[in-house]
């Protein structure tokens, strides 16, 4: 009898351990994880941190979760270290989401995430999009994108572009595409890679470089001070509100559209029920006033995708990035 009681207790304890990370009050419905974590695959202060903080605040403000989401940092390779860790070491954590960006997808397309590919995680949800842009100092002689590119075409060695990432990155790729637009070999342009999005703007303001290639959200804090001028936004059409006066590259005759998606993925062994809880949660969250406020505060624009829709988008984007990388000799 004692042995039977011991076995019963052991079974109950095992069940509790198996479900401790994910509480369920109804056998047909999965409830919120007991512990939630967002991994930002970079140092604090960048775009991945921004992405995690967006949902950390809005999940709590909407009372979808009762305890604050933990944000942890796992820098390395624009997401490569985190991607490998979540697949190889933490594949089944139901409360853990990992931030990704368009830069992550570009690196995946170039094989920079090692032995893993786009099919090795569960793509979860997007929370917004940023857009590429190109900017100069307010006192620059280049008033339009055409002004800049005409000067660049005449003397490629006299204009120095700066960005927060190395050759082959999103920022480099956006600059290389502009070079191609005016018939310049991208390998001949002067390009300086900085660490992060803030450093090239500092270099621009110090007149160490002439042009910044980056993302719109990184430049927004500088617009009100009349320190920089954005020559073009890489959006399909003009943005709304205070940004409506900034022209797109497309309307200036240059076929360059570059959205910078931000979102999340999960480990490959997270169960369907646990994954669907997050999908449903993001569908709800994306429609709330609290989420929209936090998205706007972080300079992001609406882009709501979840589950299969996001999965299809990501895989299509990686194929497109791969073809683009091949055209620059950056991928096989």
């Amino acid at each position: 009898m004692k042995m039977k009681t011991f076995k019963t207790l052991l079974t109950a304890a095992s069940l509790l351990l198996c479900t401790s990370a994910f509480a369920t009050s109804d056998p047909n419905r999965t409830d919120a994880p007991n512990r939630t974590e967002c991994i930002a695959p970079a140092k604090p202060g960048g775009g991945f941190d921004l992405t995690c903080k967006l949902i950390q605040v809005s999940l709590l403000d909407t009372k979808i979760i009762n305890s604050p989401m933990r944000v942890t940092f796992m820098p390395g390779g624009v997401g490569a270290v985190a991607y490998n860790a979540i697949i190889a070491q933490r594949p089944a954590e139901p409360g853990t989401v990992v931030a990704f960006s368009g830069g992550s997808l570009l690196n995946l397309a170039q094989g920079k995430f090692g032995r893993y590919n786009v099919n090795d995680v569960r793509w979860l949800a997007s929370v917004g999009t940023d857009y590429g842009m190109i900017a100069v100092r307010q006192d620059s002689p280049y008033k339009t994108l055409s002004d800049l590119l005409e000067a660049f075409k005449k003397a490629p060695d006299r204009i120095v572009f700066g960005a927060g990432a190395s050759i082959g990155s999103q920022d480099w790729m956006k600059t290389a595409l502009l070079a191609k637009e005016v018939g310049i070999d991208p390998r001949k342009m002067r390009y300086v890679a900085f660490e992060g999005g803030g450093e090239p703007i500092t270099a621009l303001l110090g007149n160490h470089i002439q042009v910044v290639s980056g993302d719109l959200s990184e430049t927004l804090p500088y617009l009100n001070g009349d320190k920089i001028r954005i020559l073009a936004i890489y959006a399909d059409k003009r943005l709304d509100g205070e940004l409506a006066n900034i022209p797109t590259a497309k309307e200036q005759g240059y076929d360059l559209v570059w959205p910078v998606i931000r979102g999340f993925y999960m480990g490959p062994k997270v169960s369907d029920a646990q994954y669907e809880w997050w999908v449903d949660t993001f569908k709800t969250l994306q429609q709330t006033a609290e989420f929209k406020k936090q998205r706007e505060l972080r300079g992001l624009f609406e882009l709501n995708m979840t589950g299969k829709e996001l999965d299809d988008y990501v895989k299509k984007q990686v194929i497109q990035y791969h073809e683009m990388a091949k055209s620059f000799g950056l991928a096989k």
Side-chain angles (χ1 to χ4, degrees):
M1 191 69 180
K2 286 182 179 179
M3 182 60 71
K4 185 177 179 182
T5 303
F6 175 75
K7 286 181 178 179
T8 302
L9 288 170
L10 190 62
T11 301
S14 298
L15 286 170
L16 282 170
L17 283 170
C18 289
T19 59
S20 62
F22 224 94
T24 54
S25 57
D26 181 331
N28 297 316
R29 182 172 63 88
T30 302
D31 288 330
N34 286 337
R35 296 182 301 276
T36 56
E37 178 181 357
C38 184
I39 297 175
K43 295 177 182 178
F48 291 131
D49 188 4
L50 172 153
T51 310
C52 281
K53 296 286 174 56
L54 168 58
I55 62 161
Q56 181 192 45
V57 174
S58 50
L59 282 171
L60 205 59
D61 284 352
T62 54
K63 297 182 171 55
I64 290 175
I65 58 175
N66 297 318
S67 301
M69 170 177 265
R70 181 186 179 198
V71 175
T72 54
F73 300 94
M74 198 178 291
V78 195
V81 171
Y83 203 79
N84 280 262
I86 206 74
I87 296 168
Q89 299 158 22
R90 304 168 61 177
E93 294 183 4
T96 301
V97 298
V98 188
F100 79 91
S101 70
S104 313
L105 304 185
L106 182 59
N107 275 7
L108 264 176
Q110 295 179 56
K112 292 183 177 180
F113 280 13
R115 60 196 176 103
Y116 298 117
N117 62 44
V118 70
N119 300 307
D120 290 321
V121 298
R122 305 197 74 163
W123 300 98
L124 178 59
S126 63
V127 291
T129 185
D130 201 349
Y131 290 98
M133 64 87 225
I134 192 156
V136 295
R137 280 166 54 111
Q138 186 66 37
D139 60 2
S140 169
Y142 312 120
K143 307 299 182 187
T144 67
L145 184 57
S146 291
D147 288 346
L148 171 65
L149 293 181
E150 284 171 17
F152 178 50
K153 187 176 182 179
K154 289 177 183 175
D157 60 331
R158 295 188 62 184
I159 296 175
V160 182
F161 294 86
S166 60
I167 290 174
S169 67
Q170 284 195 102
D171 292 341
W172 180 89
M173 198 78 77
K174 288 178 288 192
T175 315
L177 288 169
L178 278 179
K180 286 186 75 174
E181 285 277 335
V182 292
I184 299 293
D185 184 343
R187 290 171 293 185
K188 293 182 179 178
M189 66 184 181
R190 296 178 66 188
Y191 178 88
V192 180
F194 294 88
E195 184 68 34
E199 288 187 11
I201 294 176
T202 302
L204 178 72
L205 296 176
N207 218 20
H208 302 296
I209 60 175
Q210 284 75 56
V211 187
V212 164
S213 172
D215 297 336
L216 184 57
S217 63
E218 295 166 345
T219 59
L220 291 180
Y222 300 90
L223 292 183
N224 294 332
D226 291 329
K227 292 181 177 180
I228 68 170
R229 180 190 305 119
I230 297 177
L231 298 181
I233 294 174
Y234 303 147
D236 193 50
K237 59 183 180 179
R238 286 208 185 195
L239 303 177
D240 298 327
E242 295 178 1
L243 302 172
N245 63 331
I246 303 175
T248 66
K250 198 172 181 180
E251 73 184 70
Q252 297 179 74
Y254 303 97
D255 190 19
L256 181 51
V257 176
W258 197 287
V260 185
I261 187 173
R262 295 201 176 276
F264 300 96
Y265 63 85
M266 301 187 74
K269 295 184 180 178
V270 171
S271 75
D272 289 346
Q274 293 159 353
Y275 173 75
E276 288 301 329
W277 180 88
W278 279 105
V279 169
D280 292 341
T281 293
F282 272 102
K283 283 180 180 176
T284 300
L285 189 68
Q286 288 163 348
Q287 304 308 315
T288 64
E290 292 87 348
F291 172 81
K292 292 175 182 178
K293 176 185 175 183
Q294 293 301 323
R295 182 182 63 205
E296 184 178 346
L297 284 173
R298 286 159 177 81
L300 295 178
F301 304 91
E302 184 174 353
L303 182 66
N304 296 332
M305 291 186 285
T306 56
K308 186 179 185 305
E309 184 184 10
L310 177 67
D311 187 78
D312 291 344
Y313 173 90
V314 164
K315 289 171 181 174
K316 181 180 177 183
Q317 197 71 53
V318 167
I319 291 170
Q320 290 176 351
Y321 282 156
H322 181 72
E323 292 302 313
M324 194 182 299
K326 278 173 65 178
S327 73
F328 288 117
L330 300 170
K332 295 180 179 180

